[in-house]
Amino acid sequence: MTQVAIVGGGPIGLFLACEVALHGVPVVVLERLPEMEEHPKAEGITGRAIDILDRRGLMLGVDGTPAQPTPEERERIALGERRPDSLQPKAFPGARHFATMFVLRPESPDLLVPQQVLERELARRAAELGVEVRRGHALTGFTEDGEGVRLDVEGPGGPYALRADWLVGCDGGRSTVRKLAGIPFPGTDGVTTGYRAFADIDDPGFHLPGWFRKDNGLLVYEEGPPRFITLEFVGRPANRDAPITREEFQESLRRLSGTDVTVTKVHKINRFTDNERQAATYRQGRVLLAGDAAHVQSQWSGPGLRLGLGDAINLGWKLAAVARGRCPEDLLDTYTAERHPVGAQTLEVQRASIALMRPGPHVDALRRLLTQLLLDEHTNRNLTALIDDLHITYDMGDPSLTGPLVGGFCPDLRLKSADGPARLAELQRGGRPLLLDLGADPGLRALAEPWADRVDVVGAECAEAPADALLVRPDGFVAWSTPAGGASLTAALERWFGPPA
């Protein structure tokens, strides 16, 4: 018996397990694979995902600091921007190019960290928090009743049953949980077949390194060790599960490069397409979905990891509060209400991304036009915010709340208190909500006292304070702000964190 069972032990399942366990709720993670997959996956962490990991102290846990390009890599990137057939347009000084959408993004501390490194860090954190991760255990069925869920599991020692109060599917785009629950998964089929590979070739000089848009698709080639991405507009793969042969990848590489290059050895490879699908709901009774189980999208700009981490940090504290009996079950309905529109918008961006990568003179004209439009800094920043999930605003359910940050993600404010200087991110490492008193208002503590067991009240000075007081949810979003008064603060505390003790 456990309170929360999570199916899927990838980064989203592990992060969600950590979020729930932070609040003292027992969690069991079931992962069908006996060991972590080592084929190529996401190679970096971008946008809001960096802030999410930082709020839990995980960004520094991944080998210290953000990785930066070497001088040689910077030189190669600069050369790539001037190659006529490269995807790189001429960017204004101090900007990076986002290859798919032509967004000229200002320098940001993106983490060039492979997904496997993040998974190992999350597994370590989960173990510290007492999460039980069962590898080699596959869900085969479940039955839900009014009190919980009975899971049928096939483990290394044979089949067994597990009882849980709540079940969350974090088991990928072909989610067993979603299928067994009968939750519709509408969307669009893929129009491309792609390969991501680390491989050896007979002629390292067969093609210039960089990102290149070709007449029949896209070719990415990076030297030392050789890394490749190929993408062709030939429809989705006939069989995603079929073994990938060396010859299959070699033919794709030859078609795109126009050479007779020979692949001598494949070290790691995966096959992908651009399906865009989204679950009709993220909650059905005591069953919930997060990450790719709730939505699948093309891989360009790395939306899957970023979007899934956003799901997990939104759901984790809510699920824990309901599991502990502190909040009614309808708090979980806000998970779908808040995250489903974000997922839908991401799918639209990814469809546009694929459309802009199609070969042909009509798309060429559209790309040239879009490139000119994005030289406007305001337009460029708005699209950058959309792509990086920096634009998200949630409805906090109270039209009287008019503070400057209400519904948005709270910046990482620099604070000075009696305990010394601190960043807001450091104060959220434990996953608890914060009531920030930045205007020395003694009445705030009195109002929040009935929630002292679950809300931290912090008095501090802040040079860039956007308001005199802020109520920040565990996921970093602002639920209340001055100038709204005490009555709306009390209502916000009860709405998000349950009735007073």
Side-chain angles (χ1 to χ4, degrees):
M1 176 69 184
T2 186
Q3 285 190 276
V4 175
I6 296 174
V7 177
I12 307 309
L14 290 172
F15 184 65
L16 177 60
C18 292
E19 286 294 287
V20 175
L22 277 174
H23 301 276
V25 175
V27 186
V28 171
V29 176
L30 303 175
E31 169 53 55
R32 64 178 181 83
L33 297 176
E35 297 179 354
M36 185 186 303
E37 288 184 307
E38 292 297 334
H39 66 68
K41 296 184 179 181
E43 295 157 5
I45 303 165
T46 62
R48 184 62 75 211
I50 295 175
D51 300 316
I52 289 171
L53 295 176
D54 190 23
R55 293 290 160 105
R56 299 298 183 261
L58 285 161
M59 188 173 75
L60 297 179
V62 185
D63 296 339
T65 57
Q68 298 296 331
T70 65
E72 292 78 12
E73 289 171 332
R74 289 184 183 278
E75 183 177 354
R76 281 174 44 216
I77 292 170
L79 288 171
E81 289 177 352
R82 293 194 290 272
R83 290 178 182 137
D85 63 337
S86 173
L87 282 170
Q88 311 281 359
K90 184 177 180 181
F92 54 80
R96 284 192 301 107
H97 170 65
F98 172 50
T100 307
M101 293 293 293
F102 273 122
V103 177
L104 309 179
R105 300 163 68 186
E107 290 290 345
S108 62
D110 289 358
L111 291 175
L112 305 181
V113 176
Q115 180 172 317
Q116 285 88 347
V117 175
L118 176 61
E119 284 190 39
R120 286 192 287 270
E121 173 67 9
L122 289 168
R124 182 193 63 78
R125 177 63 62 87
E128 287 181 352
L129 293 170
V131 174
E132 182 182 355
V133 179
R134 301 181 185 179
R135 288 198 168 272
H137 294 246
L139 178 75
T140 59
F142 70 81
T143 304
E144 179 190 352
D145 57 40
E147 301 298 323
V149 185
R150 180 189 184 275
L151 286 69
D152 300 315
V153 183
E154 185 69 38
Y160 67 93
L162 174 67
R163 182 81 181 174
D165 293 337
W166 299 91
L167 169 62
V168 187
C170 297
D171 48 342
R174 298 180 227 186
S175 169
T176 299
V177 174
R178 187 190 66 242
K179 292 175 180 177
L180 290 173
I183 298 175
F185 200 47
T188 54
D189 290 333
V191 296
T192 63
T193 293
Y195 302 90
R196 180 181 280 105
F198 289 90
D200 296 333
I201 53 177
D202 64 342
D203 179 15
F206 84 108
H207 198 282
L208 289 171
W211 290 65
F212 297 89
R213 185 165 173 262
K214 299 292 188 176
D215 290 340
N216 50 341
L218 174 73
L219 171 62
V220 179
Y221 171 41
E222 295 182 357
E223 300 172 301
R227 184 182 80 96
F228 305 88
I229 301 175
T230 67
L231 186 76
E232 297 178 90
F233 284 82
V234 293
R236 61 180 180 175
N239 184 356
R240 287 276 306 275
D241 297 323
I244 306 171
T245 65
R246 179 184 62 84
E247 291 78 14
E248 177 185 349
F249 170 61
Q250 177 177 275
E251 288 306 309
S252 178
L253 198 58
R254 286 179 174 182
R255 286 191 296 268
L256 287 166
S257 67
T259 71
D260 292 327
V261 64
T262 296
V263 176
T264 57
K265 184 176 182 180
V266 175
H267 299 281
K268 298 178 182 179
I269 191 168
N270 75 327
R271 183 194 290 117
F272 62 90
T273 185
D274 60 295
N275 293 328
E276 314 285 348
R277 297 186 176 279
Q278 186 178 29
T281 181
Y282 291 1
R283 180 199 174 196
Q284 185 169 282
R286 290 181 172 268
V287 179
L288 300 110
L289 305 173
D292 287 353
H295 41 73
V296 293
Q297 55 285 311
S298 64
Q299 302 180 17
W300 305 106
S301 83
L305 191 57
R306 184 174 62 245
L307 194 58
L309 290 172
D311 292 343
I313 201 170
N314 184 286
L315 173 60
W317 63 274
K318 296 175 181 177
L319 183 55
V322 173
R324 295 189 65 178
R326 285 181 166 174
C327 292
E329 289 185 16
D330 59 9
L331 176 64
L332 294 175
D333 293 331
T334 68
Y335 169 56
T336 292
E338 292 179 348
R339 295 301 299 172
H340 198 277
V342 175
Q345 193 168 50
T346 298
L347 265 61
E348 287 291 282
V349 170
Q350 294 307 110
R351 290 187 181 103
S353 169
I354 291 295
L356 285 168
M357 296 167 69
R358 280 186 176 276
H362 294 86
V363 178
D364 290 343
L366 179 61
R367 290 166 64 87
R368 287 191 291 269
L369 175 61
L370 183 59
T371 301
Q372 290 300 312
L373 291 174
L374 288 175
L375 293 175
D376 175 73
E377 184 175 354
H378 180 72
T379 302
N380 184 39
R381 288 187 178 278
N382 282 343
L383 189 52
T384 299
L386 176 65
I387 290 168
D388 278 348
D389 288 349
L390 307 179
H391 69 296
I392 298 171
T393 300
Y394 297 141
D395 180 3
M396 291 299 160
D398 184 348
S400 70
L401 297 179
T402 58
L405 294 178
V406 171
F409 192 81
C410 189
D412 188 17
L413 302 173
R414 269 56 178 176
L415 307 170
K416 184 178 180 181
S417 68
D419 297 327
R423 296 189 296 124
L424 181 136
E426 295 169 344
L427 299 179
Q428 290 212 284
R429 296 286 159 82
R432 286 168 60 88
L434 296 176
L435 178 58
L436 291 179
D437 176 12
L438 306 177
D441 182 356
L444 284 178
R445 290 184 182 274
L447 286 172
E449 179 61 30
W451 288 270
D453 60 334
R454 69 201 85 160
V455 178
D456 293 335
V457 181
V458 177
E461 298 177 2
C462 180
E464 69 266 31
D468 288 337
L470 299 166
L471 178 62
V472 185
R473 302 191 322 187
D475 57 358
F477 283 80
V478 178
W480 172 89
S481 167
T482 54
S488 59
L489 171 59
T490 300
L493 288 165
E494 186 161 358
R495 170 179 172 80
W496 296 111
F497 312 119

